[in-house]
């Protein structure tokens, strides 16, 4: 697993956006062979989405032949509810780029048969040729997508009950009222994410420090589903300094040293093909 430690949220977001754009460009996607991206919601990826929109506006990346699969969606929230993940994705990303609506896949949390919806989602991913790059955030308790502590590390897309911790954490999007937060969600499984050819997890802020330490230094455990990344042949975490507070000094220095060439978001090896861009001002929005 690679751990790229960035100075702050802005450079972390820049780095991730440059990485994603580079991957898309390298793949030279076409209608016949699109690039397949797995996407998260939450506050962590907002800066990356802004930076990707900026790269798109500068014509440095195109999403014409990109197919997307979102990680999760709440159950029972109307698609046009301001806090649905459908709304989040269109407001923060899809409406600002040249993605074809038919290439966007988001789980339907209002499907009559939720189990069938989940099984069908897995089939759709398979039909699309699998996911090339799965992007994600992490919850303070180490969960990826909605794979809460105790989720099977070989889980696939399914209905999950949210833990009290997640409901409290996400209540900030529902006016601080935990009663308004849906209690269940549809989510891709840990295995669904691990089946991607590459996985990139964004970790920022002090409240993610324990999750990062467990993910990088802890054993592989269903109690910290981010730790499954240790089993992935191409797993990357990009973290900011604040999220590193619980890492051992040795671990921190080790990764700083082996990734020193890759710390400048403008000079990441994989983004060589992209012209150096001016920094985009990005700050956490929520
Ligand atoms: C939710 C989402 C996760 C996300 C996590 C952290 O539980 N289902 O995909 O990673 O929150 O969110 P944030 O980035 O807002 O901290």
């Amino acid at each position: 697993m690679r751990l790229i430690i960035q100075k702050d949220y802005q450079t972390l977001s820049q780095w991730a956006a440059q990485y994603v754009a580079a991957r898309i460009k390298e793949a030279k996607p076409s209608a016949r062979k699109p690039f397949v991206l797995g996407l998260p919601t939450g506050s962590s990826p907002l800066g990356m989405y802004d930076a990707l929109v900026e790269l798109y506006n500068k014509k440095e990346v195109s999403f014409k032949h990109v197919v997307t699969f979102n990680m999760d969606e709440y159950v029972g929230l109307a698609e046009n509810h301001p806090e649905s993940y459908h709304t989040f994705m269109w407001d923060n990303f899809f409406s600002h780029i040249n993605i074809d609506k038919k290439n966007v896949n988001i789980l339907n949390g209002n499907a009559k048969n939720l189990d069938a919806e989940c099984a069908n989602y897995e089939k759709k991913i398979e039909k699309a040729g699998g996911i090339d790059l799965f992007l994600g955030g992490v919850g303070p308790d180490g969960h990826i997508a909605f794979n809460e502590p105790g989720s099977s590390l070989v889980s696939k897309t399914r209905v999950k009950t949210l833990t009290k911790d997640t409901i409290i954490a996400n209540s900030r999007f529902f006016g601080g009222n935990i009663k308004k937060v849906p209690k269940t969600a549809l989510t891709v499984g840990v295995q669904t994410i691990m089946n991607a050819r590459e996985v990139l997890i964004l970790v920022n802020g002090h409240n993610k420090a324990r999750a990062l330490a467990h993910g990088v230094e802890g054993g592989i455990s269903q109690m910290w589903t981010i730790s499954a990344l240790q089993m992935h042949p191409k797993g990357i975490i990009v973290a900011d300094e604040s999220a590193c507070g619980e890492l051992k000094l040795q671990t921190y220095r080790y990764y700083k040293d082996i990734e020193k060439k890759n710390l400048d978001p403008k000079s990441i090896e994989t983004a060589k093909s992209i012209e150096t861009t001016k920094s985009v001002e990005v700050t956490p929005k929520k």
Side-chain angles (χ1 to χ4, degrees):
M1 180 204 288
R2 294 176 64 194
L3 170 63
I4 315 282
I5 300 168
Q6 289 290 332
K7 186 167 57 92
D8 54 23
Y9 181 68
Q10 178 169 345
T11 54
L12 173 156
S13 302
Q14 282 287 333
W15 192 93
Q18 291 279 355
Y19 192 88
V20 173
R23 276 285 176 267
I24 295 173
K25 285 183 72 159
E26 276 165 17
K28 298 191 175 64
S30 62
R32 209 179 50 81
K33 190 150 188 346
F35 189 84
V36 186
L37 255 186
L39 294 176
T41 56
S43 50
S44 312
L46 280 173
M48 174 190 68
Y49 287 141
D50 283 352
L52 277 171
V53 169
E54 185 88 26
L55 289 174
Y56 163 71
N57 287 334
K58 289 178 175 164
K59 300 199 172 15
E60 290 179 19
V61 65
S62 166
F63 295 89
K64 186 158 188 257
H65 298 304
V66 174
V67 169
T68 63
F69 284 90
N70 259 83
M71 288 187 137
D72 41 20
E73 177 58 288
Y74 290 115
V75 168
L77 213 56
E79 222 176 270
N80 63 359
H81 186 284
E83 292 307 333
S84 81
Y85 287 171
H86 280 77
T87 304
F88 176 100
M89 288 310 298
W90 284 98
D91 283 0
N92 293 299
F93 192 39
F94 296 146
S95 301
H96 311 288
I97 55 169
N98 63 336
I99 196 147
D100 189 337
K101 198 165 189 237
K102 71 172 177 11
N103 286 342
V104 170
N105 298 282
I106 307 180
L107 283 154
N108 176 7
N110 294 296
K112 278 213 179 81
N113 183 338
L114 294 173
D115 292 335
E117 169 68 13
C118 294
N120 192 36
Y121 205 63
E122 287 285 338
K123 280 195 199 124
K124 271 204 246 174
I125 294 175
E126 209 181 301
K127 213 168 146 215
I131 291 175
D132 289 305
L133 173 60
F134 220 131
L135 307 171
V138 65
D141 60 3
H143 73 256
I144 46 174
F146 270 128
N147 295 288
E148 301 279 29
S151 293
S152 161
L153 298 183
V154 291
S155 49
K156 294 289 188 68
T157 306
R158 67 215 184 290
V159 186
K160 279 295 285 182
T161 303
L162 306 185
T163 61
K164 192 141 194 202
D165 279 356
T166 298
I167 292 170
I168 293 170
N170 289 3
S171 66
R172 69 193 193 276
F173 301 116
F174 293 83
N177 185 348
I178 58 170
K179 288 202 183 111
K180 289 192 178 155
V181 185
K183 305 295 175 282
T184 50
L186 304 186
T187 178
V188 296
V190 178
Q191 186 72 62
T192 318
I193 301 168
M194 295 306 139
N195 283 348
R197 285 180 270 282
E198 229 181 323
V199 181
L200 171 60
I201 304 288
L202 319 177
V203 188
N204 68 284
H206 294 284
N207 66 331
K208 304 293 174 69
R210 280 181 73 217
L212 183 67
H214 278 275
V216 177
E217 296 171 337
I220 296 165
S221 162
Q222 60 176 2
M223 298 315 284
W224 297 87
T225 51
I226 187 179
S227 65
L229 199 62
Q230 295 174 23
M231 293 289 286
H232 196 283
K234 284 190 112 185
I236 309 180
I237 294 178
V238 57
D240 67 0
E241 293 281 350
S242 324
C244 293
E246 299 277 337
L247 287 181
K248 292 190 183 103
L249 187 56
Q250 229 178 350
T251 311
Y252 173 84
R253 283 186 180 149
Y254 171 75
Y255 281 107
K256 276 285 216 195
D257 182 49
I258 60 169
E259 294 288 356
K260 58 175 172 277
K261 273 198 310 215
N262 296 309
L263 295 184
D264 179 357
K266 294 175 203 154
S267 66
I268 61 167
E269 278 175 61
T270 50
K272 266 188 187 143
S273 52
I274 293 182
E275 247 181 68
T276 306
T277 51
K278 279 203 196 115
S279 290
V280 188
E281 204 48 49
V282 276
T283 40
K285 286 188 180 157
K286 292 186 180 177

